[in-house]
């Protein structure tokens, strides 16, 4: 690592400090995981972040994930999260990415079956979160709460190579300035109901919620996995 800290490394440090501070304030014994969302940003900036200790990175576009996964394949403890919309014809490409750790955006059974088949073929396992459309917006991916719980059970019971790990939401723009955030409330309810229905503890299931503008609130509402992009890597240019 260079002796002089880069802007990205300093951003990362600040976010991590905030995360730990809030987690402590809430009396939580473990701080949520930080996923650094690197979409549209090049591998050399990911490497900067990695060299400052960050291991989890999130990507939205399959082609970018493939390219960066290949470029950074020697970093054996890097952990990739796929956080974009799923498409049947891209699932095999996602599964082929070295060090794929978690798919956060599963929202239908057909894709679950395809994922299971691909991971089985490779003899590997991957964590899976079910995306919930907590804000009920047409343009957003994700399932309604009841459907999400059903799919969670399907993955949990029927997919040996998928490790069902919890639920994810993006939430509405309006909700992101509210405290408490109603989308985060809803996701927590889905998780708590699910845990009750399957007779397990809520600690066994993740809540992936909170981004640059609302991660502090998300932590206070129980997030275990926050996804922060622009506050680490700077603003993104609009995708062409
Ligand atoms: C882009 C993106 C993020 C990060 O957004 P920022 O506002 O830049 O922190 C998090 N989650 C998902 C699903 C995203 O697409």
């Amino acid at each position: 690592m260079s002796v002089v800290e880069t802007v990205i490394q300093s951003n990362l440090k600040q976010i991590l400090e905030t995360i730990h501070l809030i987690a402590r304030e809430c009396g939580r014994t473990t701080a949520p995981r930080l996923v650094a969302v690197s979409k549209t940003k090049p591998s050399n900036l990911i490497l900067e972040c990695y060299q400052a200790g960050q291991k989890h990175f999130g990507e939205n576009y399959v082609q970018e994930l493939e390219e960066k996964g290949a470029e950074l394949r020697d970093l054996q403890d890097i952990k990739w999260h796929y956080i974009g919309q799923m498409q049947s014809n891209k699932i095999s490409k996602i599964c082929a990415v070295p060090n794929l750790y978690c798919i956060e955006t599963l929202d239908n059974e057909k894709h679950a079956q395809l994922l299971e088949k691909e991971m089985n073929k490779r003899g590997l396992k991957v964590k899976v979160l079910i995306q919930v459309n907590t804000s009920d917006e047409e343009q957003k991916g994700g399932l309604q709460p009841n459907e999400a719980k059903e799919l969670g059970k399907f993955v949990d019971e029927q997919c040996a190579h998928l490790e069902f790990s919890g639920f994810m939401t993006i939430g509405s723009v309006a909700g992101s300035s509210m405290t408490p955030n109603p989308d985060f409330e809803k996701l927590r309810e889905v998780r708590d109901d699910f845990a009750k229905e399957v007779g397990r503890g809520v600690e066994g299931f993740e809540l992936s919620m909170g981004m640059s503008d609302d991660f502090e609130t998300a932590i206070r509402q129980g997030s275990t996995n926050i996804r922060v992009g622009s506050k680490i890597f700077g603003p993104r240019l609009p995708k062409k």
Side-chain angles (χ1 to χ4, degrees):
M1 196 194 327
S2 58
V3 182
V4 180
E5 190 175 69
T6 68
V7 172
I8 288 175
Q9 290 172 339
S10 144
N11 290 344
L12 173 70
K13 203 156 102 184
Q14 268 183 21
I15 299 273
L16 286 170
E17 273 170 20
T18 308
I19 292 172
H20 284 99
L21 189 78
I22 298 174
R24 217 175 307 130
E25 272 175 22
C26 298
R28 292 176 55 172
T29 46
T30 42
R33 173 191 310 116
L34 172 64
V35 177
V37 176
S38 45
K39 63 184 177 207
T40 80
K41 304 293 178 182
S43 290
N44 64 312
L45 300 186
I46 297 175
L47 189 58
E48 265 182 31
C49 209
Y50 174 89
Q51 285 169 333
Q54 178 64 24
K55 299 296 184 254
H56 292 262
F57 293 90
E59 289 285 344
N60 280 58
Y61 307 104
V62 175
Q63 196 184 336
E64 276 191 61
L65 177 61
E66 278 186 291
E67 287 169 6
K68 297 174 204 177
E71 283 165 357
L72 300 170
R73 68 176 311 139
D74 291 340
L75 309 179
Q76 283 175 11
D77 57 351
I78 200 166
K79 295 176 172 68
W80 293 107
H81 293 235
Y82 182 69
I83 60 173
Q85 295 226 0
M86 305 281 293
Q87 284 173 275
S88 301
N89 60 346
K90 301 277 175 68
I91 286 179
S92 152
K93 291 182 170 162
I94 298 172
C95 293
V97 171
N99 306 309
L100 178 71
Y101 180 79
C102 183
I103 290 174
E104 299 207 9
T105 41
L106 185 66
D107 67 1
N108 72 64
E109 193 173 305
K110 182 177 147 215
H111 289 168
Q113 283 167 331
L114 282 170
L115 264 180
E116 168 60 23
K117 193 171 129 219
E118 288 296 327
M119 296 313 287
N120 185 15
K121 209 160 79 185
R122 293 175 168 78
L124 295 172
K125 285 191 176 188
V126 69
K127 286 186 194 293
V128 164
L129 305 179
I130 309 292
Q131 186 176 352
V132 184
N133 189 349
T134 50
S135 49
D136 210 2
E137 292 168 283
E138 197 131 340
Q139 75 278 16
K140 283 219 167 79
L143 294 172
Q144 294 304 307
N146 280 329
E147 301 166 332
K149 287 186 286 176
E150 284 313 305
L151 183 58
K153 285 173 200 160
F154 175 80
V155 173
D156 198 42
E157 291 161 10
Q158 310 281 327
C159 304
H161 298 81
L162 307 183
E163 188 183 327
F164 174 66
S165 303
F167 300 93
M168 175 271 202
T169 189
I170 296 174
S172 70
V173 173
S176 95
S177 54
M178 296 182 204
T179 336
N181 178 320
D183 291 310
F184 299 163
E185 284 293 308
K186 208 177 263 184
L187 196 72
R188 189 177 177 141
E189 235 173 73
V190 171
R191 192 270 315 260
D192 292 0
D193 289 350
F194 181 88
K196 200 185 246 171
E197 287 171 24
V198 298
R200 306 207 317 246
V202 294
E203 328 73 53
F205 304 103
E206 305 242 5
L207 291 174
S208 175
M209 56 193 201
M211 320 202 294
S212 285
D213 290 333
D214 53 20
F215 75 90
E216 286 111 323
T217 306
I219 299 170
R220 294 201 165 90
Q221 292 183 245
S223 177
T224 64
N225 187 83
I226 63 173
R227 312 177 307 267
V228 177
S230 41
K231 282 222 170 125
I232 297 172
F233 292 104
R236 291 178 294 271
L237 294 170
K239 187 124 171 122
K240 288 183 282 292

